[in-house]
């Protein structure tokens, strides 16, 4: 009579199970094929041996998980179903992490593995936003992002990955997949799982085997947990400050252009103060990086990364604004200066557009809306207030009324964009689960900040500017003081709104991940 161990060994041999084996018998790759994971949810018992083995193999601390187990449940006793999902990198055919990475740290190897080059990573964590599965994870001790590489060094030696070898139930396997056949025929039925993002977003390759007759009322076991996202304070200041510079430069350009027709000219002091927010804001963005001294390498992937495009465009924009300051100071002819300002303005507009597109990603539904673009450009009204304030201080009085009026109209537009941003959380049907959770964060966790946003925008963007317009015919000093106060109030208002933008986002991801580690 066989012992249980002998019976299990025979079962492994008969079924070709890969678990418990150092060696792995998979056919060599042919043209158009790649490796992939297969996860059998029927076999998984939720022991998390795969998580432990992965961490031990890759020397990761407990809170860094390249493979995670999620939990779902549904039905009523006795017809109750528990569904588990052990997921690492899906080694997608069109990986969003690779497209978005500004330093080209991701490489799609010939065998299909999506490999992360740790040496060139700057720790910007943009890939942790882009991946709809929340696979890349920031490693605080190393100041970089890390992820699963399918134990490629073991595969090269014909050995099984650590997670496959450790699984006692044989729920995880390595397979070969024909890419064209997978995309044309099988991906819809075999790559999707309850509560996972649509596999078509990145053309995921992981194949799932699911239980038959699953209950329709399946739910995530962690749906009651709702936590704010990371604050991203350096990015809060950087984005708002660069957007203020764009608005201020637009006002500066308009003033300089009108001087060609006999109106009072702008001056180098205005140009300097318009340039300063961007000059302060751009270096602040480096504080967001794990490796800030490698910040300049963020411009390597202009071809596909909006972050690279933003870094280059705003860097050029700030440098050209410095050139404009010099043109004012050395009294370069107005027409030549206006031409330079027009070029600078165009680059600045593209830079803020690229900045807004960084957040138009499918993995973060509350960001992936047109209101994100509108609100990023909308902050420019503060820059117009800045030039109006500087005009009142430098005795360019005829510019104060039109600039204050223009800035006030911009504040009203921003008020409308803010209202629409919250209203459309209810009207959009796609990814409704994530959007409603964003709404809950706004109304439950950050209700006071949300209310402050509306009140401060009305006070600083509308009421005080109207008061300043009244003072223009009475007291230049009162006008300047009122404009300064309005400018400070709306500046804090925009910082509050950007804080809410980052903290209330609810990303797509794996269901039931109680212990998924330090995901951003």
């Amino acid at each position: 009579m066989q012992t249980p161990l002998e019976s299990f060994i025979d079962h492994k041999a008969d079924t070709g199970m890969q678990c418990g084996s150092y060696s792995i018998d998979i056919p060599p790759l042919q043209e158009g094929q790649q490796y992939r994971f297969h996860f059998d949810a029927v076999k998984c018992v939720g022991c998390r041996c795969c998580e432990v083995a992965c961490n031990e193999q890759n020397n990761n601390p407990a809170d860094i998980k390249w493979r995670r187990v999620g939990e779902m449940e549904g039905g009523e006793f006795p017809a109750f179903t528990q569904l588990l999902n052990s997921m690492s990198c899906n080694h997608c055919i069109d990986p969003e992490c690779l497209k978005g990475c500004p330093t080209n740290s991701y490489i799609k190897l010939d065998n299909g593995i999506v490999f992360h080059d740790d040496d060139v990573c700057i720790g910007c964590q943009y890939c942790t936003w882009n991946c709809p599965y929340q696979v890349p994870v920031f490693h605080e001790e190393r100041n970089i992002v890390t992820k699963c590489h399918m134990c490629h060094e073991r595969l090269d030696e014909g050995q099984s990955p650590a997670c496959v070898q450790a699984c006692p139930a044989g729920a995880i396997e390595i397979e070969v997949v024909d890419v064209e056949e997978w995309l044309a025929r099988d991906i819809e039925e075999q790559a999707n799982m309850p509560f996972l993002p649509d596999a078509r977003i990145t053309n995921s390759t992981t194949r799932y085997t699911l239980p038959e007759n699953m209950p329709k009322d399946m739910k995530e076991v962690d749906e009651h947990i709702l936590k704010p996202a990371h604050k991203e304070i350096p990015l809060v200041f950087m984005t708002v400050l660069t957007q203020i510079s764009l608005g201020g430069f637009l006002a500066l350009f308009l003033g300089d252009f009108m001087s060609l027709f006999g109106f009072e000219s702008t001056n180098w002091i205005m140009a300097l103060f318009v340039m300063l927010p961007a000059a302060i804001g751009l270096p602040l963005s480096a504080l967001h990086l794990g490796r800030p001294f490698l910040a300049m390498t963020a411009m390597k992937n202009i071809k596909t990364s909006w972050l690279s495009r933003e870094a280059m465009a705003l860097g050029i924009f700030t440098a050209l604004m410095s050139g404009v300051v010099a043109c004012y100071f050395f009294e370069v002819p107005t027409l030549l200066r206006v031409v330079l300002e027009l070029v600078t303005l165009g680059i600045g507009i593209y830079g803020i557009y690229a900045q807004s597109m960084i957040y138009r990603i499918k993995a973060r539904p509350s960001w992936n809306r047109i209101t994100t673009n509108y609100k990023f450009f909308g902050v420019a009204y503060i820059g117009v207030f800045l030039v109006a304030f500087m005009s009142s201080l430098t005795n360019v009085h005829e510019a104060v009324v039109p600039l204050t009026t223009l800035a006030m109209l911009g504040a009203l537009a921003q008020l409308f964009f803010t209202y629409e941003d919250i209203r459309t959380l209810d009207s959009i049907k796609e990814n409704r689960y994530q959007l409603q959770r964003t709404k809950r964060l706004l109304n439950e966790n950050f209700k006071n900040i949300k209310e402050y946003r509306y009140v401060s925008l009305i006070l600083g963007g509308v009421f005080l500017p109207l008061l300043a317009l009244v003072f223009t015919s009475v007291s230049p000093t009162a006008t300047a003081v009122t404009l300064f106060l309005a400018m400070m109030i709306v500046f804090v208002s925009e910082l509050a709104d950007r804080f809410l933008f980052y903290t209330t986002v609810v990303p797509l991801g794996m269901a039931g991940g109680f212990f998924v580690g330090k995901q951003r």
Side-chain angles (χ1 to χ4, degrees):
M1 182 165 178
Q2 284 187 316
T3 64
L5 178 59
E6 290 170 336
S7 176
F8 178 67
I9 291 173
D10 288 344
H11 174 70
K12 279 185 59 183
D14 293 339
T15 60
M17 287 174 63
Q18 297 176 2
C19 69
S21 301
Y22 282 99
S23 62
I24 185 170
D25 185 18
I26 52 177
L29 293 175
Q30 305 297 321
E31 185 175 354
Q33 294 182 335
Q34 73 162 75
Y35 293 129
R36 71 164 174 206
F37 283 112
H38 166 229
F39 175 69
D40 191 336
V42 179
K43 294 180 179 178
C44 180
V45 296
C47 65
R48 301 182 185 270
C49 287
C50 53
E51 290 184 356
V52 175
C54 178
N55 275 25
E56 288 183 349
Q57 170 69 27
N58 296 288
N59 196 30
N60 285 331
D63 57 358
I64 303 296
K65 296 191 184 300
W66 292 0
R67 178 168 285 278
R68 306 105 72 205
V69 176
E71 305 175 29
M72 293 143 279
E73 60 187 19
E76 296 182 1
F77 183 82
F80 176 80
T81 298
Q82 182 186 38
L83 184 65
L84 300 164
N85 178 17
S86 174
M87 189 179 72
S88 62
C89 179
N90 294 303
H91 300 284
C92 306
I93 297 166
D94 298 307
E96 289 292 324
C97 57
L98 185 150
K99 294 177 184 177
C101 178
T103 59
N104 287 322
S105 297
Y106 287 90
I107 306 166
K108 181 77 170 171
L109 302 180
D110 292 340
N111 58 13
I113 293 174
V114 178
F115 179 78
H116 183 263
D117 186 352
D118 294 352
D119 291 338
V120 298
C121 177
I122 61 175
C124 70
Q125 300 150 70
Y126 187 30
C127 56
T128 67
W129 294 348
N130 272 26
C131 176
Y133 301 100
Q134 294 186 286
V135 165
V137 59
F138 185 66
H139 196 305
E140 291 186 352
E141 294 177 13
R142 300 176 61 191
N143 293 317
I144 60 171
V145 169
T146 60
K147 65 174 285 294
C148 157
H149 46 59
M150 204 182 275
C151 291
H152 67 97
E153 73 284 359
R154 294 169 65 107
L155 282 178
D156 290 343
E157 300 297 325
Q159 297 178 3
S160 57
C163 57
V164 172
Q165 181 186 325
C167 179
I172 311 172
E173 295 178 325
I174 295 293
E175 296 180 337
V176 170
V177 58
D178 184 282
V179 171
E180 289 189 6
E181 183 179 309
W182 176 249
L183 292 177
R185 190 184 67 187
D186 300 327
I187 188 171
E188 306 292 351
E189 293 185 1
Q190 299 182 29
N192 288 305
M193 189 177 193
F195 300 105
L196 271 188
D198 186 352
R200 284 288 187 185
I201 294 177
T202 58
N203 288 322
S204 167
T205 63
T206 299
R207 181 172 73 90
Y208 287 99
T209 297
L210 302 177
E212 296 181 2
N213 303 318
M214 281 194 304
K216 295 182 179 180
D217 62 342
M218 297 292 293
K219 64 179 182 179
E220 304 171 86
V221 295
D222 63 344
E223 68 175 1
H224 61 288
I225 299 176
L226 182 61
K227 297 188 297 183
H230 198 276
K231 298 179 180 66
E232 312 292 1
I233 296 299
L235 296 183
V236 168
F237 279 90
M238 186 276 285
T239 54
V240 170
L241 287 170
T242 51
Q243 291 154 19
I244 289 173
S245 274
L246 178 65
F249 196 81
L250 172 62
L252 187 80
F253 166 73
L254 292 174
D256 212 15
F257 179 75
M258 293 304 294
S259 71
L260 293 173
F261 302 95
F263 291 89
E264 286 188 79
S265 177
T266 47
N267 54 63
W268 74 271
I269 299 177
M270 292 182 186
L272 177 64
F273 273 83
V274 163
M275 181 267 293
L276 282 178
I280 295 170
L282 279 181
L284 285 178
S285 64
L287 299 178
H288 167 72
L289 305 179
R291 293 173 168 176
F293 295 108
L294 297 178
M296 294 299 292
T297 63
M299 293 181 277
K300 288 171 63 176
N301 189 14
I302 299 296
K303 185 177 180 180
T304 64
S305 174
W306 282 110
L307 199 155
S308 288
R309 296 165 185 169
E310 176 220 30
M312 178 165 287
L314 291 183
I316 295 173
F317 175 57
T318 305
L320 288 177
M321 281 196 294
S322 301
V324 170
V325 174
C327 287
Y328 274 100
F329 190 79
F330 293 107
E331 298 182 352
V332 172
T334 303
L335 184 59
L336 292 177
R337 195 171 63 222
V338 168
V339 171
L340 177 60
E341 287 170 349
L342 183 61
V343 173
T344 304
L345 181 62
I347 294 173
I349 290 172
Y350 178 77
I352 298 302
Y353 175 72
Q355 188 179 81
S356 67
M357 291 304 294
I358 289 173
Y359 303 93
R360 295 298 305 275
I361 47 180
K362 295 178 181 177
R364 303 218 161 192
S366 67
W367 291 354
N368 191 28
R369 296 179 292 156
I370 191 64
T371 49
T372 295
N373 303 79
Y374 292 158
K375 289 174 70 179
F376 271 49
F377 277 103
V379 176
Y381 75 91
I382 300 180
V384 182
F385 272 134
L386 174 61
V387 177
F389 169 68
M390 294 305 301
S391 297
S392 68
L393 290 182
T394 56
N395 297 319
V396 187
H397 297 301
E398 66 181 23
V400 174
V401 171
L403 287 176
T404 302
T405 304
L406 179 61
M408 187 169 59
L409 291 174
L412 286 170
Q414 188 72 329
L415 184 63
F416 174 73
F417 298 150
T418 301
Y419 167 76
E420 278 294 288
D421 194 50
I422 296 177
R423 184 191 68 81
T424 51
L425 291 172
D426 287 323
S427 62
I428 298 175
K429 295 182 179 179
E430 187 178 8
N431 298 316
R432 185 171 180 80
Y433 176 80
Q434 285 77 20
L435 294 176
Q436 287 300 304
R437 288 170 76 82
T438 290
K439 182 180 177 181
R440 277 185 57 197
L441 284 170
L442 282 168
N443 293 333
E444 297 173 14
N445 297 60
F446 301 107
K447 181 180 179 181
N448 291 338
I449 297 178
K450 186 186 81 169
E451 291 176 350
Y452 168 80
R453 162 62 171 168
Y454 280 113
V455 172
S456 60
L457 190 52
I458 294 170
L459 175 63
V462 181
F463 179 75
L464 287 177
L466 283 173
L467 193 60
L469 290 176
V470 172
F471 287 148
T472 53
S473 60
V474 180
S475 171
T477 301
T479 301
V481 171
T482 306
L483 283 175
F484 179 78
L485 184 60
M487 189 170 57
M488 290 298 100
I489 291 174
V490 292
F491 176 62
V492 176
S493 179
E494 293 300 335
L495 291 178
D497 187 65
R498 195 58 45 83
F499 172 84
L500 292 175
F501 176 80
Y502 287 111
T503 55
T504 62
V505 65
V506 176
L508 303 179
M510 183 181 69
F514 280 110
F515 311 106
V516 297
K518 292 186 176 179
Q519 306 295 344
R520 298 281 279 192

